[in-house]
Amino acid sequence: MDPGQSAVLPTVREALRTLSSSEDGDCILSTLGSLKRYLGGAESPAPPGEQEEFARRHFSDVLRCLVGRLSPGWLELLPDGQLEDLWASFFLEGPADQAFLVLMESIEGAASPSFRLMKTAQLLARFLRAGRMAAVMEGQCRQRAGPAFPPLQDALLSKAVGLPDHLGNRLRRENLEPFLPQNYFPLLGEEIVRVLQALVDSLRGGWDCSVSFLSQVLGKACVHGRQKEILGVLVPRLTALTRANCLWQRVCWRLVECVPDRAMEALLTGLVEAALGPEVLSRLLGNLVMKSKKAQFVMTRKILFLQYRYSTPMLQSLLGYLAMDSQRRPLLIQVLKELLETWGSSSAIRHASLPQQCYVSKAVLICLAHLGEAELRDSREDLLASLMAGVKSRLDSSLPAVRRLGMTVAEVASTRIHPEGPPLRFQYEEDELSRELLALAAPPPAADSPSEASLAVAPVAAETTDRGSADRGIPQARPEGTGSDLDSDDELVPYDMSGDRELKSGKTPAYVRDCVEALTSSEDWERWEAALRALEGLIIRSPAAAREVSVELAKVLLHLEEKTSVVGFEGLRQRALVAVVVTDPVPVAEYLTSQFYALNFSLRQRMDILDVLTLAAQELSRPGRLPKTPQCGSPSPASQPSSTQASAWRAVVEERIRSKTRRFTQGSARRGPDASPNEFNLVAGYFFFPLIRHFDRPLVTFDLLGEDQLVLGRLVHTLGALMYLAVNTTVAVAMGKALLEFVWTLRFHGDAYVRRGLLSAVSSILLSVPAERLLADLPDELLEAQPWLADVAEQDPDEDCRVLAVKALLLLEKLKGTLLPLSSS
């Protein structure tokens, strides 16, 4: 046995006996002083060999003995807190890893609540504030670990990362501020930076060290969901330290490479979110994606294809990181191929939600912005094939947002992939998303960081502003030949022509039959336009005359084509058709519904029929319906002054009568609308049942269950609207039963627009059919619909479908809630 060891062991044994049993303060003070010699804190410290032996074999036993004696009476054996300060110094000055483990062990074993628990927790808070956690991690980084992970490091890792959870479970409501997660993990990030600084200094001095333990701590903290707290401190510090220091960059690369595979995804997603641009990400990660298969899978597959919750700047950072190094650029090309394959897949378009499709589209455009023409040339055929397939599938979609997304991406991508060929051009209304996509397609700025780019743009903007203000404030010199002495018409006051009206050579038709004749056989285009503008007003003012030619008029309007550039042609035609249907509902509705499934009609005409029937049903079901004021364009010059004068003198007479009338009681100033029957009640069946009758019979040019899913979606929405407008009508029960069977047939349709209409139709049934009749006539259908609605609310890829399913479920539960009290009573 070594002499140094034999000298330490008896001393420690005697000190432990004294500390365990003595109640003499002076004796305890001298005993602790003799032990402190082995920590190097006394005036005459022990030899280095004895200090090492004490720290390795006996220090933990001494700490456990000190924790075991902790009590209010024991600390008061010496005045002025001398014993408590000496007791705490052993934990704050000795080996940090053992002190930390003993403190955590004592906290977990102490009774709650107790004096020992609170004192130990307060000491642990002092331990953290003193920076001892950095000493714990630095000590593990300077050890030469074997091939297996040491049990001591495993225990330290678990306690260091799980400290907020352990302390929160033990202290509960009396938890201390340093132990809260929002305070502890930023502190842990600061300690990691301190340890890394010490390791960099050691490497400069030629000493070996390892960052494996720091990688384990960082990865485990990210797995626990604390990326934002710890990386929010770590990334800005490392960004500044690695800006111009190659040694710091290599240390950071090694730090990330040593993270275990199970924690790689959590760390990388947090780093990509926290890093300010691809340059920072490249400095922190290096070529990690080329060295780690797990990192490559996360960066090129999982973040891009399996998740879509990340922001656009994060996508730009990730794909810009792949584009910044020549070794990583082949990965970017491969990512673009896979992204376009997914973008062009018809199955992905049907089953992916709109936000996910937007996410993939943004990634495609960002990749194209980073790649050059030479890099795209080798894969041009495959990329164009995927692009064209995606464009076709999106243009066939019933959702305007999906079609607009396909057109925007196709325009930009076709120009970048095949610049020599003819560019694709579409007509669509720009929205916020399309403008964002077009901005992403622009090449990235040459500045090193976003801040530098903004600084580069700022002087130009300031110069433009100054120049503009100078242009406004300083008179400019006039060019020659513009002097006031030359002949000019600039000083002539323009004549006011705001009240002028265009002179019409043709005469406005005065009868409905004249309008029909003008629309069918007239070659006078001014008369044709005048007839179209006057038709709605004539139908409303002369309903009897309109009924005589209602079906013929509906046929003319349905086939009417715009022969001249008439402003608002579609609106004039639609309002006239609606007026015809409202004036003579039964025969005109029968004609329109029969033509919906007829041959030789375009999809636009079929959708016009659905729109007209919906608007007419809405007008017929309006309570207290009065004759609608015709919107027949601008009134004629002859009629406008007389109508203005008539309304003026009526207003004057009414005001004089009101001022000279004496009233003894002040009643309601306005009468409510007179009660009137729902005019849609008698004709609802003529609107509804012919539309639902032949939906499953394909025609040569019309297949609702095939390619014409846009019209099917409009049909489903129309049927739901008609069902809703038929509330409290006698035919509502039969309509609801037929519509529910229709919904049940198409409930698994692949198009999101159709599914939205089906779910809206279910809500219309629940709102329009009386609750008693629903449960009496449709109990089996409602029972089958409930699990289907629940499944749609949980798993449907379209967000609007999920929302509509939840609303329908709430209506169904409300229906059950209203009927249960009635059945119990």
Side-chain angles (χ1 to χ4, degrees):
M1 181 179 292
D2 185 63
Q5 293 180 2
S6 61
V8 174
L9 182 59
T11 304
V12 172
R13 286 180 177 175
E14 181 65 26
L16 290 178
R17 261 195 309 268
T18 303
L19 293 174
S20 301
S21 58
S22 176
E23 297 295 335
D24 186 358
D26 295 332
C27 181
I28 293 174
L29 184 62
S30 62
T31 302
L32 291 176
S34 63
L35 289 176
K36 201 164 184 181
R37 293 177 57 248
Y38 298 107
L39 298 180
E43 295 180 357
S44 56
E50 295 183 1
Q51 292 184 25
E52 182 181 355
E53 173 66 19
F54 176 79
R56 188 173 68 253
R57 295 195 173 186
H58 306 294
F59 184 63
S60 296
D61 295 334
V62 173
L63 294 181
R64 291 189 182 95
C65 179
L66 291 176
V67 172
R69 289 305 310 272
L70 186 61
S71 65
W74 188 78
L75 293 178
E76 293 176 357
L77 293 177
L78 290 177
D80 301 329
Q82 297 180 28
L83 186 55
E84 182 175 357
D85 293 340
L86 186 58
W87 171 81
S89 65
F90 277 81
F91 292 91
L92 300 177
E93 299 174 8
D97 52 352
Q98 298 183 51
F100 176 68
L101 287 177
V102 171
L103 284 174
M104 294 296 297
E105 176 186 329
S106 62
I107 288 173
E108 293 177 357
S112 177
S114 65
F115 174 80
R116 180 179 300 175
L117 175 63
M118 292 309 300
K119 274 295 180 183
T120 312
Q122 292 169 3
L123 180 58
L124 180 59
R126 288 180 60 189
F127 184 89
L128 296 178
R129 286 194 294 268
R132 299 294 289 164
M133 186 58 72
V136 172
M137 294 185 289
E138 184 179 352
Q140 300 305 311
C141 292
R142 296 188 183 279
Q143 292 182 1
R144 296 182 179 179
F149 196 73
L152 175 62
Q153 288 190 358
D154 196 4
L156 286 172
L157 177 64
S158 175
K159 302 297 183 185
V161 178
L163 185 145
D165 295 332
H166 292 295
L167 271 296
N169 290 334
R170 295 298 298 154
L171 298 178
R172 298 182 184 273
R173 294 179 180 275
E174 299 179 357
N175 200 3
L176 303 179
E177 288 289 330
F179 305 143
L180 298 178
Q182 61 268 27
N183 298 328
Y184 175 73
F185 285 102
L187 172 67
L188 189 61
E190 293 284 355
E191 300 293 78
I192 290 176
V193 174
R194 288 180 55 193
V195 177
L196 288 175
Q197 183 66 63
L199 297 182
V200 168
D201 295 340
S202 298
L203 290 174
R204 289 196 180 103
W207 295 91
D208 286 339
C209 52
S210 171
V211 296
S212 176
F213 185 74
L214 294 180
S215 301
Q216 299 279 348
V217 172
L218 184 58
K220 196 174 184 67
C222 292
V223 168
H224 282 203
R226 298 299 173 180
Q227 300 103 316
K228 185 176 181 181
E229 290 87 351
I230 192 168
L231 294 178
V233 172
L234 198 59
V235 169
R237 295 289 302 277
L238 294 180
T239 300
L241 292 169
T242 57
R243 182 168 288 116
N245 194 314
C246 296
L247 181 57
W248 264 104
Q249 290 184 16
R250 295 187 62 184
V251 169
C252 287
W253 298 349
R254 187 62 182 167
L255 176 69
V256 181
E257 290 171 7
C258 292
V259 172
D261 285 347
R262 63 180 179 274
M264 186 65 73
E265 178 184 352
L267 174 65
L268 289 179
T269 54
L271 279 175
V272 175
E273 287 180 340
L276 298 177
E279 299 85 2
V280 175
L281 201 60
S282 182
R283 292 204 304 267
L284 297 182
L285 297 182
N287 282 333
L288 178 67
V289 291
M290 309 301 298
K291 300 176 182 178
S292 170
K293 293 294 183 183
K294 179 68 174 181
Q296 183 175 336
F297 171 76
V298 172
M299 300 281 276
T300 62
R301 295 289 303 174
K302 194 157 191 179
I303 294 180
L304 296 176
F305 296 95
L306 303 181
Q307 299 173 350
Y308 58 95
R309 63 181 178 86
Y310 303 108
S311 62
T312 303
M314 180 178 171
L315 271 179
Q316 291 174 313
S317 296
L318 171 60
L319 298 172
Y321 160 75
L322 296 178
M324 286 197 65
D325 189 85
S326 58
Q327 297 182 15
R328 302 193 292 262
R329 289 187 75 85
L331 281 180
L332 184 64
I333 300 175
Q334 183 63 30
V335 164
L336 176 61
K337 292 180 180 179
E338 295 175 354
L339 282 170
L340 270 178
E341 288 178 4
T342 303
W343 193 85
S345 171
S346 59
S347 176
I349 295 173
R350 287 195 306 270
H351 297 96
S353 63
L354 181 59
Q356 187 171 6
Q357 295 186 43
C358 296
Y359 185 81
V360 174
S361 301
K362 292 176 183 178
V364 169
L365 296 182
I366 294 171
C367 288
L368 290 173
H370 284 289
L371 292 173
E373 182 181 350
E375 295 171 304
L376 296 172
R377 187 178 299 115
D378 296 337
S379 307
R380 178 177 296 173
E381 294 183 1
D382 296 336
L383 296 178
L384 281 177
S386 300
L387 179 66
M388 292 299 106
V391 173
K392 180 182 181 300
S393 300
R394 279 178 168 76
L395 292 180
D396 291 340
S397 174
S398 303
L399 301 178
V402 176
R403 296 197 298 269
R404 191 183 303 114
L405 180 66
M407 290 185 282
T408 306
V409 175
E411 284 187 354
V412 177
S414 63
T415 306
R416 296 283 295 118
I417 295 174
H418 194 221
E420 299 89 359
L424 293 177
R425 290 292 180 264
F426 300 94
Q427 292 182 354
Y428 58 89
E429 295 181 1
E430 287 191 1
D431 59 353
E432 184 177 354
L433 176 60
S434 61
R435 286 189 288 270
E436 182 182 2
L437 292 175
L438 293 174
L440 291 177
D448 292 338
S449 65
S451 60
E452 295 175 9
S454 62
L455 290 176
V457 175
V460 179
E463 182 181 353
T464 305
T465 305
D466 295 342
R467 187 181 302 146
S469 61
D471 292 343
R472 291 189 299 269
I474 302 176
Q476 303 293 324
R478 295 183 179 181
E480 295 183 3
T482 60
S484 59
D485 54 337
L486 299 179
D487 294 336
S488 174
D489 294 336
D490 293 343
E491 296 181 358
L492 296 178
V493 178
Y495 186 75
D496 184 12
M497 302 178 65
S498 60
D500 288 6
R501 299 179 181 85
E502 183 181 358
L503 295 178
K504 301 289 186 179
S505 59
K507 184 179 179 182
T508 302
Y511 301 99
V512 176
R513 287 187 180 275
D514 294 342
C515 291
V516 175
E517 180 184 355
L519 293 174
T520 53
S521 59
S522 176
E523 296 297 332
D524 186 353
W525 302 128
E526 290 187 359
R527 185 167 180 261
W528 184 88
E529 180 179 348
L532 181 60
R533 292 188 179 278
L535 183 55
E536 181 191 7
L538 292 176
I539 294 172
I540 294 175
R541 287 194 296 268
S542 305
R547 291 189 188 99
E548 296 177 359
V549 292
S550 58
V551 176
E552 180 185 358
L553 183 56
K555 182 177 180 180
V556 170
L557 290 172
L558 185 61
H559 293 83
L560 191 65
E561 297 180 357
E562 186 177 5
K563 298 181 180 180
T564 60
S565 299
V566 179
V567 178
F569 169 78
E570 293 295 337
L572 293 170
R573 172 173 165 268
Q574 185 185 75
R575 290 197 297 270
L577 263 173
V578 171
V580 175
V581 179
V582 171
T583 302
D584 199 7
V586 174
V588 179
E590 288 179 340
Y591 168 74
L592 291 178
T593 53
S594 65
Q595 298 305 300
F596 180 75
Y597 290 105
L599 293 172
N600 301 326
F601 275 87
S602 66
L603 298 183
R604 179 70 264 174
Q605 288 174 310
R606 300 182 198 276
M607 290 190 288
D608 286 343
I609 290 174
L610 296 177
D611 294 340
V612 167
L613 290 175
T614 302
L615 293 172
Q618 185 177 0
E619 179 66 21
L620 288 170
S621 63
R622 187 161 52 90
R625 189 175 69 87
L626 297 174
K628 184 179 177 183
T629 303
Q631 301 178 12
C632 52
S634 57
S636 61
S639 61
Q640 186 174 6
S642 61
S643 61
T644 305
Q645 293 172 5
S647 60
W649 73 259
R650 283 196 184 95
V652 172
V653 171
E654 290 177 1
E655 181 61 29
R656 289 179 179 177
I657 294 174
R658 190 179 302 111
S659 63
K660 295 180 179 296
T661 301
R662 185 180 181 185
R663 301 182 184 276
F664 296 97
T665 58
Q666 185 68 30
S668 176
R670 294 182 179 179
R671 289 184 57 191
D674 296 333
S676 61
N678 185 351
E679 297 184 25
F680 189 58
N681 180 20
L682 301 177
V683 298
Y686 295 97
F687 284 66
F688 182 85
F689 291 108
L691 288 178
I692 206 173
R693 187 172 298 157
H694 303 303
F695 74 94
D696 55 346
R697 297 183 184 178
L699 301 176
V700 178
T701 58
F702 186 48
D703 186 7
L704 282 176
L705 301 183
E707 296 181 353
D708 300 323
Q709 55 191 10
L710 175 60
V711 185
L712 177 61
R714 296 289 287 271
L715 173 62
V716 176
H717 282 83
T718 299
L719 293 174
L722 295 176
M723 183 75 246
Y724 179 74
L725 295 172
V727 59
N728 297 326
T729 60
T730 55
V731 76
V733 178
M735 291 173 61
K737 189 170 185 178
L739 184 55
L740 204 54
E741 293 176 358
F742 175 78
V743 169
W744 197 250
T745 304
L746 300 175
R747 66 189 184 280
F748 296 123
H749 199 278
D751 189 76
Y753 183 61
V754 176
R755 295 199 304 275
R756 292 179 190 177
L758 295 173
L759 294 167
S760 300
V762 172
S763 298
S764 299
I765 295 170
L766 297 175
L767 290 171
S768 300
V769 182
E772 296 81 1
R773 299 299 303 275
L774 273 175
L775 293 184
D777 298 344
L778 307 173
D780 297 335
E781 289 84 351
L782 292 179
L783 287 176
E784 292 175 347
Q786 185 170 7
W788 167 63
L789 291 173
D791 183 68
V792 172
E794 292 180 1
Q795 301 182 7
D796 197 285
D798 186 70
E799 182 179 0
D800 291 339
C801 288
R802 295 195 297 270
V803 173
L804 290 171
V806 170
K807 291 181 178 179
L809 282 173
L810 292 175
L811 288 174
L812 194 56
E813 292 297 326
K814 184 179 179 181
L815 174 69
K816 293 180 180 179
T818 56
L819 289 180
L820 283 178
L822 296 177
S823 60
S824 61
S825 60

